[in-house]
Amino acid sequence: MKRVHNARHMTEAHLVRGLLESHGIDAVVRGDLLTGGWGELPVDVCAVWVTDDARYADADRLIRDFLKGALARIHGGAGWHCSRCGEDIEGQFTACWQCGAERPPSPE
Ligand SMILES: [Zn+2]
């Protein structure tokens, strides 16, 4: 059993697991509670594990390719730049998490 991917949220973890299984690699999603430093709340982490260590390299390569392409599309493509406050926003957000400004229409 080897951890191949740390996901930002459950949806991503299950997406990655589905990808691996569609390529014949058995995988499981596990939630972990990581305790932070002094006075910090525990952080919820979800990770994808391959059950067969021999498939780790295959899984790792699949996930890298997947994250570069498909996941970027699912999350709405490249990140964008808030014109109001100048914050860099990840592609999946439709509004600025810093100041709440709406995502500007894409140039194309
Ligand atoms: Zn902003």
Side-chain angles (χ1 to χ4, degrees):
M1 193 91 144
K2 269 191 156 186
R3 180 195 296 237
V4 282
H5 180 67
N6 287 320
R8 281 168 297 180
H9 42 70
M10 260 311 178
T11 312
E12 183 184 313
H14 283 285
L15 218 57
V16 168
R17 186 183 63 91
L19 168 85
L20 294 179
E21 291 193 338
S22 72
H23 287 80
I25 301 172
D26 283 331
V28 292
V29 172
R30 275 203 189 163
D32 280 323
L33 219 51
L34 295 184
T35 315
W38 287 100
E40 286 177 36
L41 290 171
V43 185
D44 222 346
V45 170
C46 28
V48 183
W49 299 67
V50 284
T51 50
D52 182 358
D53 287 10
R55 304 303 303 274
Y56 176 81
D58 291 340
D60 189 51
R61 199 176 54 241
L62 268 172
I63 292 169
R64 280 173 204 282
D65 290 347
F66 180 66
L67 291 179
K68 265 187 277 171
L71 201 61
R73 279 197 298 279
I74 288 162
H75 283 327
W80 52 285
H81 199 69
C82 178
S83 56
R84 193 192 289 175
C85 72
E87 191 68 35
D88 287 318
I89 316 295
E90 287 181 51
Q92 72 266 35
F93 296 106
T94 56
C96 175
W97 52 264
Q98 174 94 335
C99 71
E102 290 283 310
R103 179 185 192 155
S106 58
E108 61 274 293

